[in-house]
Amino acid sequence: MRPAGRRTESAPASEAGEEEAFAVAVIDGLSAAQKTLPCRYLYDERGSELFEQITALPEYYPTRTETAILEAHVAEIAGDSGAGQVLVEFGSGSSRKTEILLEAMPDIVAYIPIDVSDSALDEARCRLAARFPELDIRPIHGDFSGEVTLPADLHFSRKIGFFPGSTIGNLDRGEARGLLKSFRKILSPHGRLIVGVDLLKSEETLRLAYDDPTGVTAAFNLNIVTRINQAFGQAFALDAFRHEARLNRQEGRIEMHLVSTRDQSVDLLGYRFTFRRGETIHTENSHKYTIDGFRTLARSAGWLPERAWTDADGLFSVHELTSVRPGAD
Ligand code: AVJ
């Protein structure tokens, strides 16, 4: 539990507020029986750089496969994106995959990328403005899982949501349902959502994708400890933890852990955290679905599953969901 009187996590206004939220998350996470750290803290500047490298690894199939699916089916995916429609992207990052869609959606009036990174939004805006000079680009700086208010003048426009990358896999199934409901509200009425979802597959393929032989994913995972050291003093010995990717069959997900390689204690933020040898910090979940399993989840969030596209090897899926009911519950 969060200590009483601390600020809540919603949109820390200042850097000091953000650092305080990070400290609270670290203390809370490392005090739990299964130690844990929120995965969003993996993605600082260095972490985002390492994640970019992951997406280019031969073992990391999702990015490449999703891009190929989008390219192969872009005409269908773009649909009748007739005049007046607005494209809203949740967690837009570099907006690379968006270019594929925008190319096939010449009548889109506005593109609204939502991201927590100002620099990513800026870079994407400049690149897209050069490539699509007619497009009205209206970035929103913020966390898409929180309260999102779209520009008032676009209130009555039809909206297409885009949520690629299987980012939804970071959430457990209950949380994913909540997020899909909130997207339905944001895109209502008559929203349409294109969402990329990674599929369940062999343990071998999953393990290699999340524990590559070159160690990029290990560096990505360990970077969260470096980030804690940088923020709060050099408390962690980096060589005392190693990366591990675990398949949790019960939950249908790959988990990233940092495994303590020895008995140790870590003095941090006025607390002493002890680790037994082999004890882990759970740093990220990556949930995997079947196509039908994801459709069922979408239905439970009030969406109507329409088409779904996949690659020849059935590694990844892109879903089209529509919402005909008012998205107000
Ligand atoms: C950004 C959450 C989609 O789960 O595949 C990649 C993150 N972590 N390798 C994923 C990740 C380790 C990635 N997502």
Side-chain angles (χ1 to χ4, degrees):
M1 279 314 293
R2 197 168 301 286
R6 299 281 195 153
R7 77 192 332 279
T8 63
E9 257 166 66
S10 56
S14 63
E15 254 174 57
E18 272 173 46
E19 178 153 312
E20 164 126 8
F22 184 30
V24 171
V26 168
I27 293 167
D28 284 357
L30 297 184
S31 303
Q34 166 62 65
K35 293 180 173 64
T36 177
L37 290 168
C39 64
R40 66 176 172 281
Y41 292 114
L42 289 163
Y43 300 87
D44 62 352
E45 207 175 311
R46 175 74 183 136
S48 301
E49 219 175 84
L50 286 164
F51 179 68
E52 282 297 310
Q53 289 180 32
I54 288 175
T55 63
L57 292 170
E59 294 82 11
Y60 191 75
Y61 60 85
T63 311
R64 175 171 20 96
T65 311
E66 183 181 41
T67 301
I69 296 171
L70 292 173
E71 277 166 351
H73 303 283
V74 67
E76 278 179 278
I77 294 168
D80 74 324
S81 56
Q85 292 201 59
V86 172
L87 180 67
V88 181
E89 182 168 3
F90 302 102
S92 48
S94 65
S95 297
R96 286 276 166 208
K97 294 165 190 161
T98 325
E99 289 190 51
I100 303 169
L101 287 193
L102 286 171
E103 196 64 61
M105 296 174 158
D107 290 331
I108 285 281
V109 291
Y111 169 52
I112 306 181
I114 306 173
D115 206 274
V116 289
S117 164
D118 263 325
S119 56
L121 285 172
D122 265 3
E123 219 180 286
R125 188 173 43 73
C126 292
R127 204 182 68 244
L128 293 176
R131 182 159 174 192
F132 305 99
E134 304 292 293
L135 185 65
D136 183 14
I137 306 174
R138 312 271 284 268
I140 295 182
H141 177 236
D143 179 355
F144 61 74
S145 62
E147 202 54 46
V148 173
T149 311
L150 299 185
D153 59 306
L154 302 175
H155 187 78
F156 295 104
S157 307
R158 273 172 69 198
K159 284 151 202 111
I160 307 170
F162 187 40
F163 192 40
S166 205
T167 307
I168 198 159
N170 271 162
L171 306 180
D172 68 34
R173 284 165 174 75
E175 294 165 338
R177 179 170 179 265
L179 187 66
L180 288 174
K181 276 190 174 185
S182 122
F183 286 175
R184 199 159 61 84
K185 237 177 263 183
I186 295 166
L187 301 170
S188 70
H190 309 301
R192 183 164 170 263
L193 180 65
I194 303 296
V195 49
V197 182
D198 196 15
L199 297 175
L200 275 164
K201 58 184 59 67
S202 80
E203 176 161 3
E204 169 77 357
T205 304
L206 286 173
R207 194 172 293 288
L208 275 169
Y210 290 86
D211 191 3
D212 61 281
T214 42
V216 180
T217 309
F220 171 67
N221 196 5
L222 280 158
N223 176 58
I224 200 168
V225 167
T226 305
R227 187 173 174 183
I228 292 173
N229 279 350
Q230 279 164 0
F232 309 120
Q234 304 294 316
F236 282 93
L238 284 179
D239 63 352
F241 289 88
R242 63 173 176 80
H243 166 68
E244 190 173 295
R246 283 189 188 169
L247 177 64
N248 182 334
R249 281 185 194 283
Q250 192 100 20
E251 299 290 339
R253 70 188 185 208
I254 280 275
E255 301 175 355
M256 289 210 312
H257 289 261
L258 290 168
V259 185
S260 176
T261 57
R262 55 177 195 241
D263 289 341
Q264 58 180 312
S265 60
V266 175
D267 292 318
L268 182 65
L269 291 158
Y271 293 75
R272 168 161 292 185
F273 301 104
T274 60
F275 295 80
R276 285 171 288 101
R277 180 196 160 115
E279 189 177 352
T280 74
I281 308 173
H282 182 184
T283 50
E284 191 176 44
N285 285 322
S286 193
H287 290 81
K288 309 300 172 191
Y289 291 85
T290 61
I291 289 185
D292 279 347
F294 185 75
R295 288 172 163 233
T296 302
L297 180 81
R299 253 183 232 108
S300 79
W303 286 97
L304 190 67
E306 304 271 5
R307 293 168 290 186
W309 301 270
T310 183
D311 53 297
D313 300 319
L315 295 173
F316 200 93
S317 61
V318 173
H319 294 252
E320 172 192 44
L321 311 174
T322 59
S323 167
V324 285
R325 307 191 333 225
D329 64 345

